[in-house]
Each structure stands twice: as structure tokens, then as C-alpha cells.
């Protein structure tokens, strides 16, 4: 891939969430990501490599576990020629009691070109962005937002459905604890999709209908699935429940696991998505996860493309 020396920029210096992004910013990110895709629907493409960001440095600071987001940011940076440094929080001076803010000020003093942060505290990337001029990319903050996940989900839906406007998107499972759900709700609503939230009442409170215009809540999975173009399953986040919100994982699965029989309520050409990691037999059956209707591997591939686009747009030389 030939190196491009100038790039467009986002209207904002950081990627903190989908809610504050303009529609034009999202369109620019998705258009930029298309040049980096290794698959569009079923069509495979060569892996893109460039020296567009050679000489620049990306720091990863993950204070929570991650496989997909952390590794795909690292691969994205390497495909653009960046150097990558992983803070390895469990071996850092955070363990000696250094505050998060002092850690980020210390990292900023080393002049990296961007900092990717995942933290269990909602709003942590926003707080840090007020204290550094290094671009911050939010890789997931508590139950608040996971903007790169929603962007890669949008790219994947567009690959399969062509448009977001008017689509019926069922987001199902543990909405209460899900930053993925919040970011997707904001993005899909900005582009005119009709979002239905489904799951047990403790995990999908009726008040969530106020999160965005046109949003509806259903507590029977079959009702939420009816006529869906896109089915987005979410993991039950047992680690974020202060007290058990249902009798047992098996009891949850009996009513809310996506099985072939339940999926039959959706449109015949509906795609099945999951941000991962997924719990086989609890939030999605192995039969559905491994079926041709599942676009989960495609989501993962698009994650690299979207993160390459964001690194280009936030750290590349301005046009
Ligand atoms: N979807 C997602 O954020 O996965 P990881 O926790 O593995 O990064």
C-alpha cells in the first residue's frame, strides 16, 4: 500500500465516546477504515501495510483485561509503522500506589503520539483528557462507552446490510453493565436505526427507553427478536454484578440464550453479532455462534481496520 503523507482529521483531538461525535466524524472514520479492511462481507483482501505513522509511538494502558481491543490496537499500529509500548499495568508503578493521573502525566512526559486507555471507572478517559495533550482513545470505560467497538460494529453491519437507516437492531442480554450497548445505541440512533433492547428486567430496566429517541425495551427475547435485521448479543457480566441478578447462569440461559429456535423469530437474512468474549451456551449457543449467520469473526477483522483509521485520523500529519 503506498504511503499517504497527509490525512484528514476528526473535529475532536481525542476519541472519548460515540455520544459526543458528530455524524460527519463517524462517516470519516468508517470511510477511512474501508481502505484498511481485510474482508468486506465474503470478499478477502490483502493485509494492508504502510509507513504512514512510522516514527510515532502508541502507548497501551489497559487497567482491565482485554484480548480483542488490546491486540487489535497493537496490530493496527504496527500495520501503520508505529512503535507500540504496553504499560503492563500489573508490573507498573500503579502497583506501588502511584495514582492514575500521575501515571498518565508520567507517560505523557515521554511524548507518545497517542494513549489507549481501558479502565473500570466510567469517565476515566474524559478525566485524563483534561490533563494531557496526548490524544486519548477510550478502549472501554466501566459501563459507560466502548466507542471503537460500536464503530467496528457499524462497519460490519454496513458491509452486510448497506445502510443503517431503518434497520431493526435487537441488542440483547446484559444491557445494564454494557458499554458496548451504550455506544451502539448512540451510534445507531444517530444514523436512524430502530433499536430494541431485550433481556431480563434487572438487566434491561424499562427506563433505558429514555437513552435515545425511538428506543424500545422488551423483556421476552422472542418479542425483541421479531423482525430483526441485526441481532447483537451481549455477554452476561457476572464480574460487574454486586449481587446476583438472576438465580443461576443456567436459569438465565433457559430464557435468554440465543438458540436456533429463538433466532427463527428474526428475519431470515438477519446477521448475528457479539462483541466477545462470548459465553457458549449461556448468552449464545455454539450452533448459532458457529453458523453462517454469525459475523463475529468479521467484527474482529474490522476492529483492526477501524483502529488503523482512528490512529491515522488522530495522530497523522494534518492535510
Ligand atoms: N469486545 C471487547 O472489548 O473484547 P476484549 O475485552 O477482549 O477487548
Amino acid at each position: 500500500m503506498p504511503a499517504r503523507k497527509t490525512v484528514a482529521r476528526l473535529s475532536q483531538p481525542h476519541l472519548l465516546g460515540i455520544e459526543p461525535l458528530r455524524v460527519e466524524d463517524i462517516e470519516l472514520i468508517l470511510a477511512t477504515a474501508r481502505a484498511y479492511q481485510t474482508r468486506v462481507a465474503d470478499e478477502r483482501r490483502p493485509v494492508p501495510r504502510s509507513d504512514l505513522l512510522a516514527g510515532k509511538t502508541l502507548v497501551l494502558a489497559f487497567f482491565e483485561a482485554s484480548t480483542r481491543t488490546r491486540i487489535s490496537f497493537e496490530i493496527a499500529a504496527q500495520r501503520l509503522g508505529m512503535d507500540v509500548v504496553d504499560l503492563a499495568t500489573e508490573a507498573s508503578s500503579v502497583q506501588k500506589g502511584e495514582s492514575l493521573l500521575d501515571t498518565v502525566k508520567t507517560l505523557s512526559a515521554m511524548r507518545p503520539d497517542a494513549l489507549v486507555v481501558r479502565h473500570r471507572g466510567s469517565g476515566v478517559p474524559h478525566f485524563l483528557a483534561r490533563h494531557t495533550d496526548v490524544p486519548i482513545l477510550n478502549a472501554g470505560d466501566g459501563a459507560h462507552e466502548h466507542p471503537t467497538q460500536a464503530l467496528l460494529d457499524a462497519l460490519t453491519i454496513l458491509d452486510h446490510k448497506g445502510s443503517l437507516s431503518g434497520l431493526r437492531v435487537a441488542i440483547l442480554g446484559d444491557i445494564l453493565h454494557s458499554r458496548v450497548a451504550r455506544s451502539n445505541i448512540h451510534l445507531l440512533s444517530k444514523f436512524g436505526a430502530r433499536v430494541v433492547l431485550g433481556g431480563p428486567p434487572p438487566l434491561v430496566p424499562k427506563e433505558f427507553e429514555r437513552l435515545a429517541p425511538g428506543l424500545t425495551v422488551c423483556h421476552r427475547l422472542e418479542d425483541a427478536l421479531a423482525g430483526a435485521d441485526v441481532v447483537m448479543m451481549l455477554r452476561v457480566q457476572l464480574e460487574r454484578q454486586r449481587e446476583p441478578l438472576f438465580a443461576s447462569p443456567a436459569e438465565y440461559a433457559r430464557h435468554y440464550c440465543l438458540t436456533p429456535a429463538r433466532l427463527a423469530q428474526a428475519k431470515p437474512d438477519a446477521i448475528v453479532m457479539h462483541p466477545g468474549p462470548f459465553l457458549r451456551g449461556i448468552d449464545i449457543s455454539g450452533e448459532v455462534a458457529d453458523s453462517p449467520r454469525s459475523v463475529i469473526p468479521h467484527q474482529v477483522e474490522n476492529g483492526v481496520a477501524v483502529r488503523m483509521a482512528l490512529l491515522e485520523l488522530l495522530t497523522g500529519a494534518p492535510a
Side-chain angles (χ1 to χ4, degrees):
M1 165 173 290
R4 278 177 286 160
K5 292 300 174 200
T6 59
V7 295
R9 299 306 291 259
L10 295 181
S11 67
Q12 310 178 13
H14 308 278
L15 178 76
L16 299 178
I18 297 295
E19 190 174 18
L21 279 187
R22 298 178 186 167
V23 164
E24 300 78 50
D25 285 324
I26 296 171
E27 287 173 339
L28 175 61
I29 295 164
L30 298 179
T32 307
R34 286 197 178 92
Y36 294 127
Q37 282 184 286
T38 46
R39 174 156 48 139
V40 179
D42 293 329
E43 179 207 337
R44 306 304 302 233
R45 295 179 174 180
V47 172
R49 293 186 198 283
S50 124
D51 61 358
L52 183 72
L53 304 182
K56 295 182 183 277
T57 303
L58 179 68
V59 172
L60 306 176
F62 280 71
F63 296 89
E64 269 192 343
S66 169
T67 297
R68 279 146 282 266
T69 313
R70 185 171 55 84
I71 300 297
S72 68
F73 260 118
E74 184 158 354
I75 289 174
Q78 287 172 353
R79 285 186 186 167
L80 291 169
M82 294 182 96
D83 298 317
V84 183
V85 182
D86 190 339
L87 175 63
T89 49
E90 69 286 352
S92 74
S93 289
V94 171
Q95 303 304 329
K96 301 176 193 166
E98 185 168 55
S99 77
L100 179 63
L101 181 56
D102 286 333
T103 299
V104 167
K105 283 181 172 174
T106 300
L107 295 172
S108 300
M110 298 180 207
R111 311 296 306 157
D113 296 279
L115 185 55
V116 178
V117 179
R118 171 173 285 190
H119 198 280
R120 68 172 187 281
S122 296
V124 161
H126 309 67
F127 167 72
L128 297 176
R130 291 197 289 275
H131 295 276
T132 178
D133 56 5
V134 176
I136 302 264
L137 293 105
N138 180 358
D141 61 318
H144 179 226
E145 280 230 39
H146 191 346
T148 60
Q149 181 68 47
L151 289 161
L152 74 88
D153 289 342
L155 187 63
T156 308
I157 296 172
L158 287 167
D159 283 347
H160 290 270
K161 298 291 174 189
S163 166
L164 299 176
S165 177
L167 283 185
R168 183 173 163 99
V169 182
I171 305 179
L172 309 174
D174 183 354
I175 313 287
L176 182 68
H177 301 104
S178 177
R179 52 198 177 207
V180 174
R182 276 170 191 72
S183 286
N184 267 296
I185 288 166
H186 291 307
L187 193 153
L188 292 165
S189 302
K190 284 178 199 275
F191 285 84
R194 293 171 298 142
V195 178
V196 184
L197 305 180
L203 297 180
V204 192
K206 194 75 178 156
E207 304 82 68
F208 276 24
E209 289 187 342
R210 292 194 221 117
L211 281 174
L215 200 64
T216 50
V217 164
C218 297
H219 291 129
R220 276 187 76 245
L221 213 66
E222 290 75 3
D223 296 338
L225 281 163
D229 299 284
V230 176
V231 180
M232 195 179 285
M233 299 308 297
L234 298 173
R235 181 174 63 91
V236 179
Q237 300 192 38
L238 297 168
E239 74 277 16
R240 293 195 203 276
Q241 293 183 17
R242 290 202 185 97
E243 56 194 55
L245 294 175
F246 43 83
S248 68
E251 179 64 12
Y252 175 88
R254 206 159 68 80
H255 297 283
Y256 296 104
C257 180
L258 185 66
T259 58
R262 292 197 171 113
L263 181 57
Q265 304 297 317
K267 286 190 179 160
D269 63 349
I271 56 170
V272 175
M273 309 178 75
H274 196 305
F278 59 81
L279 303 177
R280 280 178 190 263
I282 297 187
D283 41 56
I284 187 168
S285 73
E287 203 176 341
V288 173
D290 299 331
S291 76
R293 308 272 295 271
S294 162
V295 297
I296 297 169
H298 192 188
Q299 289 174 267
V300 176
E301 281 197 57
N302 277 339
V304 179
V306 158
R307 291 170 180 122
M308 289 175 80
L310 287 163
L311 293 174
E312 173 183 326
L313 293 168
L314 289 170
T315 74

